[in-house]
Amino acid sequence: MELFLEQLVNGLTVGSVYSLVALGYTMVYGVMRLINFAHGELFMLGSYFGFTLLVSTNIGALGAGWGLIVIVLMAAGAMALLGILVERVAYAPLRESGRLAPVVSALGVSIFLQNAAMLIWGSRYRAYPVWAALDRRWQVGGVHITLMQVIILGVSIVLMLLLYFIIQRTTLGAAIRATAIDQDTARLMGIDVNAIIRFIFIIGPALGAVAGVMVGLYYRQIHFTMGWTYSLKAFTAAIMGGIGNIPGAMVGGMLLGILEMLGAGYISAAWKDVFVFIILIALLILRPTGLLGERVAEKV
Amino acid sequence: MSYGRIEALRQVSLHVHEGEIVALLGANGAGKTTTLRAISGLIKPQQGDILFDGSSLLASPAHRIVGQGIAQCPEGRRVFPTLTVEENLRLGAYLHRKDKEWVQEGQGKVWELFPRLHERRFQLAGTLSGGEQQMLAIARALMARPRLLLLDEPSLGLAPLLVQEIFRTIRAINAQGVTILLVEQNARLALKIAHRAYVLATGRVAVSGDAADLANDEKLRKAYLGAAPACS
Ligand SMILES: Nc1ncnc2c1ncn2[C@@H]1O[C@H](COP(=O)(O)OP(=O)(O)OP(=O)(O)O)[C@@H](O)[C@H]1O
Ligand SMILES: [Mg+2]
């Protein structure tokens, strides 16, 4: 039982990271029918950017609370800018070119960004500095919980609730949903589809960057290839929730994190990535519309 | 006007005067929808010009043209099925989303015109009947308070009684000062409420004139419009 609860906590923690990254995938897919393979690299760059801020500036001197907030906000802002730039350079010119060209372009951007990170930060693991104030842990009924876990879960849930509110309750959110359904008719309403796409490319990478910084603080080690691993898992989470489905991505990420950690706890930690990809393959074969059973490719 | 290498319209010239209902008729594939999409800016012609109030629309992207006073109710309704009736209407007034009074006033007018939509305002648009969806599509276009309303086959797939109702509504909208360009398969009914009409055939204007004259022109009816449906 203790092992179960412990793995549940671990699962929720990584799961909320998968959710945050999965949202970027699913929103872009929803509006553009594009799997944005470059998204994982923005998550990775967000993590490195936060790392650089931590080791080369004295933002840390603000104390753990404010320091963390400033670093997360700066990383989110920087990745939002980079997200817009990527969209502008790699996707906007291909708007009328069918569906294959943007995917190839996304793969190109992904390789480019990964190599850029390697050239800037080197190919070895980099270690996030230890932040003593964040290094706290408790025992609740025999289960270990760290402060970082609480922060990750708390921040993720708040951000997801905020996003859910924007998408479901505001006129901007209705415009985003309308654009995902039918771009031409959205245009007839006066909706600037390009502005909606830009907005998606601000929100997705910003959430990814927040996740990236938190992963750095949680696992301490970051690597220029981490974008790939996390993005494949986030992609699995997005498929689980039904790609294009925003609440689905939130739920899918959590579920995947829990499954992965239970697998690691009860079967073998070394095989946890394998479980995830077995899940991905099984989903793609058995339930490509996601567990929540909603649209995918309904409009091709 | 072409889709890729397919030329869909050639030298179509039509005028709509303020306050009119103008019918745009023609067989399937004649180019009626293409004409409306060009006016709304969803597609841009390679040649020619489209003027509204004397100034060209060609440089404006589709999402700006609504703001200039032209709203389109597209073929096949195209309501957003997973959005509620109210959200669909709110998007109709998207350019005025910051102006709460504008949106509320617009909605008030819609409830007057289509009381049925009011009862169903929290329902998902996809769960409405075909007729109700058509009403919603027209209402959504009206939320922009257009001076020119483009209607693409509003009677498509509706029972005769409902068609009559929709046409009465179109007349009422026109009576409130909205100019209307009406694309229809149902030529008989369209000519009844229109002031003037154009008939398109394979991408050209084949005939144009007063609606009343065209309605009585047997030869024209046989040549371009097919037999008129027999409904009273
Ligand atoms: N996206 C497109 N790509 C290629 N050709 C198109 C496209 N849309 C329309 N066309 C062609 O352009 C011509 C005119 O089509 P349009 O939709 O304007 O006809 P319509 O008069 O509205 O017909 P209907 O009464 O059936 O709605 C047709 O031959 C059609 O096949
Ligand atoms: Mg048509």
Side-chain angles (χ1 to χ4, degrees):
Chain A
M1 191 62 198
E2 256 165 47
L3 176 65
F4 177 79
L5 289 177
E6 192 122 355
Q7 291 309 84
L8 192 66
V9 172
N10 291 335
L12 283 172
T13 311
V14 298
S16 49
V17 169
Y18 298 157
S19 296
L20 287 181
V21 181
L23 283 168
Y25 271 112
T26 229
M27 287 193 298
V28 168
Y29 185 86
V31 171
M32 301 170 74
R33 301 294 181 273
L34 162 71
I35 306 284
N36 176 20
F37 285 110
H39 182 58
E41 309 321 327
L42 294 182
F43 156 84
M44 175 271 295
L45 287 171
S47 194
Y48 271 100
F49 192 76
F51 164 80
T52 297
L53 289 177
L54 257 173
V55 295
S56 336
T57 68
N58 52 3
I59 293 174
L62 292 170
W66 284 110
L68 189 61
I69 290 171
V70 170
I71 285 170
V72 160
L73 285 180
M74 286 179 71
M79 289 312 115
L81 284 179
L82 189 57
I84 297 182
L85 187 70
V86 166
E87 196 279 321
R88 201 39 172 294
V89 172
Y91 306 141
L94 300 174
R95 205 82 91 215
E96 313 294 329
S97 319
R99 292 178 50 161
L100 187 58
V103 173
V104 174
S105 187
L107 285 169
V109 171
S110 171
I111 292 167
F112 173 82
L113 292 178
Q114 216 180 90
N115 281 282
M118 187 188 73
L119 291 174
I120 296 170
W121 285 284
S123 59
R124 288 202 271 161
Y125 278 91
R126 305 303 299 261
Y128 258 64
V130 177
W131 207 336
L134 292 179
D135 202 17
R136 248 188 269 170
R137 53 176 58 238
W138 301 277
Q139 264 214 349
V140 185
V143 179
H144 294 280
I145 296 178
T146 69
L147 177 57
M148 235 10 254
Q149 288 180 325
V150 175
I151 291 177
I152 291 177
L153 203 55
V155 168
S156 306
I157 288 175
V158 167
L159 288 177
M160 288 195 268
L161 287 178
L162 197 67
L163 182 66
Y164 186 80
F165 174 83
I166 292 175
I167 297 291
Q168 296 297 332
R169 288 285 126 85
T170 68
T171 304
L172 173 65
I176 293 171
R177 283 179 284 143
T179 306
I181 296 166
D182 181 348
Q183 291 199 5
D184 271 350
T185 306
R187 282 194 186 91
L188 290 179
M189 306 293 107
I191 296 168
D192 180 352
V193 168
N194 284 322
I196 297 289
I197 289 173
R198 276 196 299 277
F199 181 76
I200 297 289
F201 273 93
I202 290 173
I203 299 297
L207 291 176
V210 174
V213 172
M214 294 196 303
V215 161
L217 288 167
Y218 183 54
Y219 288 113
R220 293 273 151 72
Q221 300 232 318
I222 61 175
H223 194 248
F224 75 98
T225 57
M226 69 196 259
W228 257 112
T229 359
Y230 276 87
S231 76
L232 265 169
K233 290 183 183 176
F235 180 63
T236 306
I239 299 270
M240 247 172 150
I243 191 150
N245 181 332
I246 289 174
M250 300 176 180
V251 175
M254 295 288 184
L255 204 57
L256 185 69
I258 292 169
L259 285 175
E260 179 186 326
M261 284 303 161
L262 288 181
Y266 285 101
I267 307 173
S268 158
W271 284 67
K272 69 181 169 65
D273 289 354
V274 177
F275 304 143
V276 172
F277 298 126
I278 289 174
I279 292 174
L280 174 61
I281 293 165
L283 273 174
L284 287 175
I285 293 170
L286 302 174
R287 267 204 88 107
T289 54
L291 296 180
L292 305 187
E294 254 189 287
R295 54 179 236 230
V296 67
E298 106 266 39
K299 191 195 144 196
V300 179
Chain B
M1 172 63 60
S2 311
Y3 293 103
R5 270 190 301 261
I6 299 169
E7 199 177 37
L9 291 180
R10 200 174 310 150
Q11 296 178 349
V12 168
S13 166
L14 42 95
H15 303 265
V16 179
H17 304 293
E18 207 168 337
E20 277 186 322
I21 299 180
V22 173
L24 186 56
L25 310 173
N28 291 119
K32 306 178 296 291
T33 298
T34 305
T35 305
L36 294 196
R37 286 167 65 83
I39 297 173
S40 287
L42 289 175
I43 41 178
K44 297 288 178 188
Q46 292 92 348
Q47 285 170 35
D49 206 349
I50 300 168
L51 302 176
F52 184 61
D53 271 351
S55 51
S56 176
L57 294 176
L58 291 192
S60 305
H63 66 269
R64 293 259 171 68
I65 288 177
V66 208
Q68 297 182 30
I70 302 179
Q72 186 187 150
C73 173
E75 185 174 2
R77 298 155 200 151
R78 307 280 276 264
V79 296
F80 300 112
T82 52
L83 273 61
T84 64
V85 167
E86 200 166 37
E87 284 172 333
N88 269 277
L89 291 177
R90 271 212 321 253
L91 288 181
Y94 186 73
L95 294 175
H96 303 274
R97 60 193 178 280
K98 304 254 160 67
D99 188 345
K100 287 228 171 68
E101 270 170 46
W102 171 293
V103 177
Q104 256 167 18
E105 229 177 271
Q107 278 187 353
K109 279 189 197 157
V110 165
W111 305 148
E112 255 172 55
L113 211 53
F114 305 107
R116 254 201 270 186
L117 291 182
H118 184 253
E119 296 161 27
R120 291 167 166 67
R121 63 190 182 281
F122 301 123
Q123 201 171 315
L124 294 185
T127 64
L128 297 177
S129 78
E132 289 158 357
Q133 289 191 16
Q134 187 61 60
M135 293 176 196
L136 177 58
I138 296 174
R140 185 179 64 179
L142 287 176
M143 287 295 289
R145 303 208 201 157
R147 286 186 297 139
L148 172 61
L149 177 62
L150 311 175
L151 295 170
D152 199 343
E153 302 203 26
S155 73
L156 193 76
L158 302 187
L161 217 62
L162 206 53
V163 173
Q164 302 268 355
E165 193 182 324
I166 294 277
F167 273 76
R168 263 198 302 279
T169 311
I170 294 172
R171 219 184 219 152
I173 293 166
N174 177 249
Q176 289 171 18
V178 181
T179 307
I180 289 171
L181 180 55
L182 171 67
V183 165
E184 257 304 330
Q185 294 283 349
N186 191 333
R188 223 175 80 93
L189 268 181
L191 288 174
K192 231 184 209 168
I193 66 165
H195 304 105
R196 289 188 307 115
Y198 292 84
V199 181
L200 287 186
T202 55
R204 298 164 186 270
V205 176
V207 190
S208 67
D210 272 353
D213 296 345
L214 294 186
N216 295 326
D217 190 333
E218 270 304 322
K219 260 196 299 198
L220 166 92
R221 243 162 53 192
K222 289 221 176 83
Y224 297 110
L225 306 175
C231 75
S232 55

